Amino acid sequence: MSRKLAHGAGQAIRQLPGLPQEVLELRELAVVRQLATRKGFTVVGGIDIDPAKIEAAITPKTKAIVPVHLYGLSADMKAISEIARKRKLFVVEDNAQGIDGHGPGWKQGELSDAVCTSFIIQKNLGTFGDGGAVVTNRDDVDATVRRLRNHGSTVRSVHSMGYNSRLDDLHAGILCVKLKHIAQWTDRRRQIAARYTKGLQGTSLKLPYEPAGYRHAYHLYVVETPRRASLERHLLEKGVDAKLHYPIAIHQQEGYPWGQLADARPAVPNCEKNAAECVSLPMFPELTDAEVDYTIETCVAWDKKAS
């Protein structure tokens, strides 16, 4: 998510009256960094949010839940929205990696107060540079974000607290063209993911999953192995452009929580395990089947040798 959008959405929620001052968060640095450095926001970590554990983390100060649709798989928004409604909390989705994804019977944005997304070039819907957007059906959030993005102004020469965070017309034009193709590109990502999953079955790698009724957008195809360094080295030596998303958990970053009110040592074993074992295989719509098969063959050969 664009850091300014995370900040702007957080500011919009903070400015609504009569609310306490805490945020329940996950595992996406731009979100955590921007919310954690805002006075009154506290961050609690994980990977994909587990609705069963949310209520235990809610305190009298909790203000909002910020589910991150990490790697392209939507969080369980139905369960999260039910908790939020019962506890009178706001929900702000981060779908920077999950655009065009959905769950069974619902789409992103239907069950929340706002959705923040990113248009940076490597995202599923990327422009030729940087950018992002906040999507909401709430008039109050809409008005606040529009003001914040434009130096705090809605009337020329009249300003309040705000930022220079407008999307350039050139980027908007590019996105309008690319938006027409996003479903087709997601379909291709899903074909590639299915090919990876079929070809890597039976190896020691932990593979991504897709619950019934969900549309995984596969921004990334992330496998996990305790022998991550060995696999990464083997793939790179064979010409496969493997990446690590993300090898250092947020609470393990130097200086965290950066002087703010947050638990410096949260109990997030899933997050720490993922950070230590994750490897992203190549994933973009232009990949050919032959390139995907080569990556599969390279992984299978490594697994046989390492076993």
Side-chain angles (χ1 to χ4, degrees), residues 4-14 35 92 114 116 134 141 145 148:
K4 290 183 179 178
L5 290 174
H7 187 183
Q11 286 281 11
I13 293 298
R14 284 191 77 217
L35 295 182
V92 179
C116 297
V134 176
V141 174
V145 172
L148 287 170

Side-chain angles (χ1 to χ4, degrees), residues 206-273:
K206 181 180 178 181
L207 307 179
Y209 71 100
E210 180 182 67
Y214 281 74
R215 178 175 170 83
H216 197 318
Y218 286 104
H219 172 62
L220 299 171
Y221 188 93
V222 180
V223 301
E224 295 181 54
T225 173
R227 296 169 292 177
R228 192 258 302 283
S230 173
L231 175 59
E232 180 193 17
R233 182 170 57 252
H234 179 78
L235 289 170
L236 294 175
E237 287 175 351
K238 297 298 182 180
V240 177
D241 188 23
K243 303 288 187 186
L244 307 181
H245 298 91
Y246 303 90
I248 305 175
I250 292 168
H251 65 286
Q252 296 171 335
Q253 297 287 342
E254 183 176 356
Y256 180 86
W258 307 300
Q260 304 301 316
L261 296 175
D263 185 354
R265 296 182 180 179
V268 285
N270 290 337
C271 174
E272 292 172 354
K273 184 175 185 295

Side-chain angles (χ1 to χ4, degrees), residues 11-154:
Q11 286 281 11
I13 293 298
R14 284 191 77 217
Q15 292 182 24
L16 299 177
L19 296 169
Q21 299 291 310
E22 185 179 39
V23 164
L24 182 66
E25 232 325 299
L26 307 173
R27 184 184 175 343
E28 215 293 320
L29 182 58
V31 181
V32 173
R33 182 168 52 215
Q34 291 305 310
L35 295 182
T37 53
R38 305 271 66 79
K39 183 179 180 181
F41 284 87
T42 300
V43 175
V44 181
I47 301 179
D48 284 337
I49 195 166
D50 182 353
K53 297 180 180 179
I54 291 176
E55 293 208 65
I58 294 173
T59 76
K61 294 182 178 180
T62 302
K63 179 174 187 176
I65 305 171
V66 184
V68 178
H69 305 317
L70 195 67
Y71 301 151
L73 178 63
S74 299
D76 186 349
M77 292 305 303
K78 185 175 181 180
I80 292 169
S81 68
E82 289 174 354
I83 294 169
R85 185 166 53 251
K86 180 174 68 174
R87 301 298 291 267
K88 294 182 171 58
L89 302 176
F90 289 92
V91 179
V92 179
E93 299 175 64
D94 174 3
N95 86 333
Q97 297 187 354
I99 193 167
D100 195 37
H102 63 68
W106 52 263
K107 295 182 179 180
Q108 295 169 7
E110 285 190 90
L111 302 174
S112 64
D113 296 283
V115 180
C116 297
T117 195
S118 171
F119 300 137
I120 195 169
I121 193 167
Q122 64 264 41
K123 291 296 194 294
N124 293 28
L125 181 62
T127 187
F128 288 176
D130 203 350
V134 176
V135 181
T136 183
N137 287 325
R138 292 185 57 121
D139 292 339
D140 49 358
V141 174
D142 173 70
T144 301
V145 172
R146 286 179 184 275
R147 186 181 72 250
L148 287 170
R149 70 171 189 151
N150 188 37
H151 296 293
S153 175
T154 57

